[in-house]
Amino acid sequence: MELGKNIYTLRKEKGFSQEQLAQKVNVTRQTISNWELGETSPNPEQLILLSGALNKSIDELVGNDTKRILKEECDDNEKAIIKIYIALAFFCGTIAGIWSFSANRFRYSEMALIIAAGMIIGLCFAVVCHNILKYLKKQE
């Protein structure tokens, strides 16, 4: 059981004997030994005391990798934002391209520049909107 290994490792890192940790958690030394061996597990109240004594969150004690999950969520959000930036750039570039083509007065090289300018405007628009939304979210 990962919880038992974590209790053992954290206890050793803190320099506690089983007896010292048992006193902090209000259990016997044998109970600490049983937890570390995976024979029994602490109840929720004991987990809270154990968390405080070892200065670790309950998630860290039981082996939940919350940091990895949060990082994956952040990565997914960043990928979504990049997709929005690209979509707005292409959208504005397409609009500029259609306009420059339908105007029927530009050479192909000028149309390419107009399309590029439209894409840059789209990116700028996306960045501005993104920062406004971030600001509004902080104000909540």
Side-chain angles (χ1 to χ4, degrees):
M1 177 182 239
E2 192 170 337
L3 174 61
K5 291 176 187 175
N6 289 343
I7 293 171
Y8 175 81
T9 302
L10 294 169
R11 178 178 63 80
K12 289 293 188 180
E13 284 177 9
K14 293 286 184 185
F16 295 148
S17 66
Q18 286 182 341
E19 186 67 38
Q20 290 170 323
L21 184 58
Q23 288 175 352
K24 292 181 183 294
V25 185
N26 299 325
V27 295
T28 64
R29 184 203 62 75
Q30 290 82 4
T31 301
I32 300 293
S33 176
N34 287 338
W35 291 347
E36 290 179 354
L37 294 173
E39 294 175 5
T40 60
S41 297
N43 65 37
E45 293 82 19
Q46 293 167 330
L47 263 177
I48 292 169
L49 292 171
L50 201 54
S51 171
L54 297 173
N55 198 25
K56 292 290 179 181
S57 71
I58 292 174
D59 279 327
E60 289 173 301
L61 282 176
V62 298
N64 287 340
D65 193 1
T66 55
K67 290 179 183 176
R68 180 189 53 80
I69 293 168
L70 289 174
K71 183 178 182 335
E72 287 174 3
E73 287 177 6
C74 288
D75 289 346
D76 289 343
N77 288 342
E78 289 173 5
K79 289 176 185 175
I81 289 169
I82 289 170
K83 288 178 183 177
I84 291 170
Y85 284 3
I86 292 170
L88 274 170
F90 278 107
F91 178 73
C92 291
T94 302
I95 298 289
I98 291 170
W99 172 80
S100 65
F101 184 76
S102 64
N104 205 19
R105 62 178 174 187
F106 298 105
R107 289 178 280 182
Y108 290 122
S109 60
E110 293 171 329
M111 288 184 353
L113 288 174
I114 291 170
I115 292 170
M119 293 178 84
I120 291 170
I121 290 168
L123 282 174
C124 292
F125 181 70
V127 169
V128 168
C129 289
H130 180 233
N131 285 318
I132 289 171
L133 291 173
K134 279 175 50 177
Y135 174 78
L136 292 174
K137 189 174 181 178
K138 283 184 182 178
Q139 296 302 313
E140 291 179 350

